[in-house]
Amino acid sequence: MYFPYLRGRQFELIALRELVEKDVLSGRIMPIIEPVKLSATLVKTIETYGKNDKQLAIITNPKVGSFKSDAREEKNQKLKENFSASLKENHNLLFMNLLKANSKPEKFIERYADNMGTICDDKDAISIYEAYFAAKDVKYNLIPDESGFRRKIRKNRVLLADKFNKQDRNNDYVEVDDEPFSEDHLYYLEDGYVGFSDYSIVGKEYNETGFAPYAVAIHIVYFDTDDSLRVKHFVSDSNDDISDPAGKFQEALSKLVEWNEEKQLDTVAMKEFEDLYHREAYPGLGTVKKLSIMHHLELIGRYLDKE
């Protein structure tokens, strides 16, 4: 099983939703959403997964973002009600608790005892797992591949790792335009895990605000000849200032299309990239990220379905 971990930003949610709507999401993939904002897009994504009988996990105590404060605002009352209703109506949801040192998750366990998971990437929180969850029926426990976690958390372990080598600036990817991404899909069972998890091509780092980049970069994962995953970075050329993002996108996109003439990747997202190239269209940087995520998840799903 693959558990892509995504923060609930708008285009990440749209990526998850469109994978289902286009019927290209494998049944061996359960996306995990850490909701960073209470939004109509979040509600619609949960509803789409429920209606299409697809697995989805929701983190009930997000560490980052404004979800908690959004839910307290009176102006969001209707949206909060819709969110609660979407959770109740989707019977395939897994509810996950981000384990924190000194936390007391009794209410979480009482509410979600029949369908819960944990995420423990803090060694100071291992004691919380031992005290509250070790004797419970936890569906999945996401942990880093470190001995301190493996020795204490032994049941239904999922390997959690940030595989994306995030650079400070998009232009920096010119120096590392093709690099290893992951081999976890090859060895997770052998290493004693029931699944593997990563942050796709977004990375673990979370920033509240975006910025206008000097360079446009498109990140595409692909399988090497040994079935390991690599990631190719396609970067624009005219990167002296923030002007003309549409032109920068076409520069990066032309490199992607030329590269794919040999690779022949045919995911839904790759076909859309090629359509954008032929139409000379610029969909915005949010859509670029959406398509890269969709491509990654569809590609992994195809691999898992062949096993």
Side-chain angles (χ1 to χ4, degrees):
M1 283 285 291
Y2 174 44
F3 300 80
Y5 186 132
L6 296 169
R7 270 53 183 260
R9 290 183 181 275
Q10 180 181 7
F11 285 97
E12 295 171 16
L13 293 171
I14 294 173
L16 294 180
R17 194 177 74 224
E18 288 191 6
L19 284 165
V20 172
E21 292 172 342
K22 297 178 185 297
D23 196 25
V24 291
L25 184 70
S26 167
R28 299 185 66 182
I29 294 180
M30 180 187 290
I32 298 172
I33 297 175
E34 181 177 3
V36 297
K37 185 177 182 180
L38 181 60
S39 68
T41 308
L42 175 61
V43 173
K44 187 172 181 181
T45 301
I46 296 170
E47 291 175 344
T48 299
Y49 273 69
K51 291 175 182 176
N52 288 274
D53 200 28
K54 292 291 186 180
Q55 302 177 92
L56 186 67
I58 300 290
I59 294 173
T60 61
N61 58 335
K63 285 184 180 179
V64 297
S66 62
F67 181 85
K68 293 180 181 178
S69 59
D70 291 344
R72 288 194 294 266
E73 292 188 17
E74 187 175 345
K75 66 178 181 179
N76 293 327
Q77 182 59 34
K78 183 62 176 177
L79 193 55
K80 183 180 178 181
E81 292 172 1
N82 292 341
F83 173 72
S84 297
S86 70
L87 296 182
K88 292 178 181 178
E89 292 170 5
N90 187 334
H91 302 296
N92 290 312
L93 285 178
L94 177 71
F95 295 94
M96 305 206 75
N97 189 270
L98 272 169
L99 301 188
K100 306 172 186 177
N102 302 317
S103 63
K104 296 181 179 180
E106 295 101 327
K107 291 184 179 179
F108 171 84
I109 294 173
E110 181 180 353
R111 185 172 183 180
Y112 303 115
D114 295 329
N115 204 21
M116 63 182 178
T118 71
I119 301 171
C120 184
D121 59 0
D122 178 357
K123 286 186 177 178
D124 288 333
I126 294 177
S127 60
I128 302 300
Y129 172 84
E130 292 180 301
Y132 292 95
F133 293 97
K136 303 294 183 182
D137 180 20
V138 181
K139 296 289 192 299
Y140 300 106
N141 295 298
L142 274 66
I143 63 170
D145 190 27
E146 299 176 17
S147 59
F149 293 90
R150 292 195 306 267
R151 289 167 180 162
K152 300 294 182 65
I153 301 176
R154 294 186 171 274
K155 296 190 302 182
N156 300 330
R157 296 181 300 199
V158 174
L159 172 58
L160 173 62
D162 184 1
K163 294 297 182 177
F164 187 64
N165 182 24
K166 193 175 184 65
Q167 302 294 322
D168 292 334
R169 305 172 305 168
N170 282 346
N171 202 39
D172 293 338
Y173 292 107
V174 172
E175 303 299 323
V176 285
D177 70 313
D178 193 315
E179 58 185 330
F181 184 78
S182 179
E183 294 182 333
D184 289 349
H185 57 287
L186 297 173
Y187 301 112
Y188 72 96
L189 289 172
E190 182 180 321
D191 291 342
Y193 296 94
V194 298
F196 61 99
S197 177
D198 59 41
Y199 300 85
S200 187
I201 51 81
V202 182
K204 183 178 180 179
E205 178 184 333
Y206 175 78
N207 294 310
E208 287 281 357
T209 57
F211 58 91
Y214 278 68
V216 168
I218 306 172
H219 313 292
I220 298 296
V221 298
Y222 69 97
F223 285 108
D224 204 351
T225 53
D226 61 355
D227 278 346
S228 66
L229 272 179
R230 298 184 64 85
V231 59
K232 178 78 171 174
H233 310 288
F234 303 92
V235 184
S236 56
D237 298 311
S238 54
N239 304 326
D240 294 331
D241 54 44
I242 64 173
S243 65
D244 193 19
K248 296 177 191 294
F249 171 65
Q250 283 297 324
E251 290 172 353
L253 184 60
S254 64
K255 297 176 183 180
L256 166 57
V257 171
E258 181 180 0
W259 174 80
N260 198 43
E261 288 178 0
E262 177 185 348
K263 292 297 182 183
Q264 293 292 303
L265 300 173
D266 63 347
T267 60
V268 165
M270 192 62 72
K271 292 175 182 177
E272 190 164 338
F273 272 128
E274 292 181 337
D275 179 63
L276 290 168
Y277 172 74
H278 293 302
R279 291 191 291 113
E280 297 184 0
Y282 174 56
L285 295 179
T287 297
V288 175
K289 179 170 75 169
K290 177 198 78 170
L291 292 175
S292 295
I293 293 171
M294 290 177 65
H295 168 76
H296 179 199
L297 270 59
E298 182 179 352
L299 202 68
I300 287 287
R302 289 182 182 182
Y303 174 86
L304 294 175
D305 286 343
K306 288 192 303 183
E307 287 186 333

